[in-house]
Amino acid sequence: MPGQAVVVGAGQAGVSLAAALRRRGFDGRIRLIGAEPALPYQRPPLSKEFMASTDAAPRSLRKPAFYEENDIDLLTGEAVTDIDLAARRLELGGSGSLSFTLLAIATGGQPRRLPGGDIEGVYCLRTIADAEAIRSRVAEGGPIVIVGGGFLGLELAGSLSANGHSVTILEGGARLMGRAVSAAVSAHFHAVHAGWGISVHCGDPFARFEHENGRLTAVVTGSGRRFPAAMAIVGIGIDPEVGLAQRAGLSCNDGIEVDACLSTGAEGVVAIGDCARFRQYRTDTPIRIESIQNATDQADCAAGTLLGEREPYRAVPWFWSHQRDQRLQMAGLPGQAGTDVIRGNPDDGRFSVFRYAEGRLVAVDSVNHPAEHMLSRKLIAAGVSPRGDAVRDPDTDLKSLLDA
Amino acid sequence: MVRIRYVQPDGTERAVDVEPGESLMEAAINNRVDGIVAECGGACMCATCHVYVDDEYMTAAGAADDGEQEMMEAVAAERRPNSRLSCQIKATPELDGAVVRIAPEQI
């Protein structure tokens, strides 16, 4: 099928989509455009092994030869400034314009900022440039305060404290990773981080940064408590990058709105990954998911949509967080889960939490139990909801429920 | 370069020249070798890059560390003594000519 595909965004989703188009036999021109200057790379390692030593290199998504061998024109360090959907053209800031027959928007997101976040010593982490800045600053020493006890904050805490630095985590919510995981998992990680010598504070939200001569000196919380800091890293989530889509006339609402096949309202235009608010297959309710799995699986689905092979996106969401030697894996989405059933013993540091909404299994958190995580993905995909007593009983062979 | 021979479950073979230091998973993905899914991109968190290393190359491939051993509990296909996660095997001159058989299912 001839044509010209343009992919805006060369992160996990964008690169995966370009690769998926080729894999599905598209032989038209593909341009993959990334705003960052680096060879497209993986973000997850930035909070982990990238912090372990000052010369750790970024992990690229594909090596340069891949783009050449697969006829993917990779343009890095290029910002797309405007999309004209009617004319099927987009503008590259200062470098001319490109026409397209197929367009994928995979613009990701921008880290949320706090007031005073432009004080020297305050960082966020999204890009290699951010990670390099953090890494050099950490080497200068001094107490580190991490604002936000979500996945990113905890991974950073684990990495940075491993090198002997003093780390404090400030989480405004009642518990760590509260938005995403069960209470038992929050408790496990709170204890683990405390055991690593990290100072963890929940339920006392950020109030302000203190500074002297423009340099950070402390972080102050709502209770008035003051945490001396040589540096602060803010990990409070991202906002989807929708400006370009919005200006192009696409409907956006905490993400670029797409249907169940990841198609925007415009012909031949899809949006995927962190920036896309899509309709869930079973329920038709809109949601936006930030994960490697979502980016990659949506890329494949959307490539199909662009090539006329429309299928609804229905991959079971899954996610991982690796904090030092602790492996946290989650399957499904907790949503309105009201009941948690624990399998295994949290005191052993290896357990799962099966989460139910009105009797239906909707998510499973697994801590240091990869086999159980993989199984739970299959259970959720199959719509199987094991009974609570079966889950609690270590002798139950949950796998057999799939054969039923 | 290190020549790695990837063998599919149906016996088809493809030889790929891998740079020393590149993982066998990365080489498979970069060269579009079928059957290596590598959902997590090499973070040793998904177990979908599962291969069976021919016995004579097992020593050269090095030993799986604790994390890889734990993750291999999650492989979809049969776990065998010569099972490895290919993201954890870096190409070295000792692996030149190695045969790795791709697991029949990864998920």
Side-chain angles (χ1 to χ4, degrees):
Chain A
M1 177 189 176
Q4 303 204 75
V6 175
V7 183
V8 181
Q12 185 79 37
V15 170
S16 300
L17 189 134
L21 284 171
R22 285 294 181 239
R23 200 170 56 243
R24 284 172 174 268
F26 177 71
D27 56 13
R29 196 158 180 192
I30 298 177
R31 268 121 151 179
L32 174 58
I33 308 171
E36 290 181 61
L39 180 71
Y41 63 93
Q42 298 182 31
R43 295 196 199 283
L46 296 181
S47 57
K48 308 173 192 72
E49 55 262 40
F50 194 79
M51 291 298 168
S53 79
T54 45
D55 49 21
R59 195 192 272 275
S60 61
L61 282 160
R62 298 289 188 285
K63 57 193 211 185
F66 176 86
Y67 303 100
E68 292 152 27
E69 288 162 15
N70 290 282
D71 284 314
I72 295 169
D73 300 340
L74 174 63
L75 285 73
T76 51
E78 282 284 358
V80 174
T81 51
D82 191 65
I83 300 175
D84 182 337
L85 289 173
R88 315 287 293 179
R89 289 192 80 77
L90 53 81
E91 298 297 319
L92 302 173
S95 306
S97 61
L98 296 175
S99 55
F100 58 85
T101 55
L102 306 174
L103 178 67
I105 304 175
T107 44
Q110 298 295 337
R112 293 194 187 118
R113 312 269 169 177
L114 287 171
D118 51 352
I119 294 165
E120 199 197 319
V122 179
Y123 299 84
C124 62
L125 177 57
R126 179 76 177 170
T127 65
I128 288 176
D130 295 335
E132 285 170 343
I134 288 172
R135 202 162 66 173
S136 343
R137 182 64 189 87
V138 166
E140 294 170 27
I144 302 168
V145 173
I146 295 175
V147 182
F151 302 113
L152 192 53
L154 292 178
E155 288 175 0
L156 279 168
S159 305
L160 300 179
S161 64
N163 295 336
H165 300 286
S166 151
V167 177
T168 298
I169 297 170
L170 300 179
E171 164 54 43
R175 54 186 177 84
L176 298 175
M177 303 175 287
R179 171 179 65 90
V181 307
S182 52
V185 170
S186 296
H188 170 80
F189 281 90
H190 193 133
V192 161
H193 280 259
W196 292 335
I198 294 162
S199 187
V200 184
H201 303 271
C202 293
D204 192 7
F206 169 86
R208 66 184 179 282
F209 293 115
E210 273 186 5
H211 54 96
E212 220 170 87
N213 303 320
R215 290 204 84 171
L216 179 73
T217 51
V219 181
V220 181
T221 55
S223 68
R225 203 156 159 192
R226 190 179 174 277
F227 297 88
M231 72 183 292
I233 308 172
V234 178
I236 55 172
I238 60 167
D239 288 319
E241 181 58 70
V242 301
L244 195 60
Q246 212 151 29
R247 289 195 303 279
L250 293 172
S251 178
C252 300
N253 178 10
D254 183 41
I256 302 167
E257 291 182 309
V258 293
D259 66 14
C261 300
L262 309 176
S263 193
T264 64
E267 173 71 35
V269 181
V270 296
I272 56 171
D274 287 359
C275 74
R277 189 164 194 86
F278 67 98
R279 294 274 168 175
Q280 290 176 91
Y281 173 61
R282 273 201 193 98
T283 59
D284 203 42
T285 44
I287 194 169
R288 191 174 59 77
I289 297 179
E290 298 168 15
S291 71
I292 294 297
Q293 170 272 320
N294 187 69
T296 313
D297 287 347
Q298 285 201 338
D300 186 54
C301 177
T305 295
L306 286 173
L307 300 178
E309 299 147 22
R310 275 176 70 91
E311 290 282 351
Y313 173 64
R314 45 179 150 171
V316 172
W318 75 270
F319 185 85
W320 86 86
S321 177
H322 198 179
Q323 301 167 29
R324 285 214 203 162
D325 65 339
Q326 299 289 306
R327 288 180 154 77
L328 168 60
Q329 294 166 296
M330 296 128 65
L333 295 169
Q336 303 308 310
T339 306
D340 289 345
V341 178
I342 296 177
R343 181 173 176 78
N345 186 354
D347 291 339
D348 295 339
R350 178 174 158 98
F351 64 100
S352 293
V353 183
F354 284 61
R355 314 190 67 189
Y356 297 78
E358 286 159 9
R360 201 162 67 80
L361 182 68
V362 292
V364 180
D365 301 339
S366 294
V367 176
N368 300 317
H369 208 332
E372 212 150 71
H373 165 70
M374 285 307 251
L375 174 60
S376 68
R377 278 157 71 173
K378 297 187 170 101
L379 290 170
I380 291 170
V384 171
S385 296
R387 288 193 342 258
D389 56 348
V391 166
R392 264 181 230 109
D393 180 356
D395 294 329
T396 308
D397 174 16
L398 292 177
K399 204 162 180 184
S400 65
L401 298 176
L402 289 168
D403 309 321
Chain B
M1 296 296 259
V2 179
R3 176 150 287 208
I4 302 294
R5 294 159 60 191
Y6 295 89
V7 181
Q8 295 293 337
D10 70 359
T12 9
E13 187 176 307
R14 192 157 149 222
V16 173
D17 287 322
V18 184
E19 276 189 46
E22 196 180 349
S23 80
L24 270 50
M25 176 280 286
E26 286 169 326
I29 295 297
N30 278 308
N31 290 281
R32 295 179 57 182
V33 173
D34 286 332
I36 301 284
V37 174
E39 293 176 321
C40 75
C44 200
M45 289 296 298
C46 73
T48 64
C49 63
H50 181 203
V51 298
Y52 304 110
V53 177
D54 270 13
D55 289 338
E56 61 262 46
Y57 294 97
M58 274 297 277
T59 309
D65 67 14
D66 289 345
E68 185 187 343
Q69 295 279 7
E70 185 174 82
M71 283 307 301
M72 281 201 282
E73 292 172 11
V75 292
E78 186 194 354
R79 184 178 180 182
R80 298 180 194 149
N82 63 338
S83 281
R84 290 294 309 273
L85 298 182
S86 55
C87 69
Q88 300 301 300
I89 305 174
K90 287 203 168 15
T92 59
E94 292 73 40
L95 280 171
D96 191 34
V99 175
V100 297
R101 295 171 197 276
I102 296 170
E105 56 265 327
Q106 298 287 2
I107 299 199

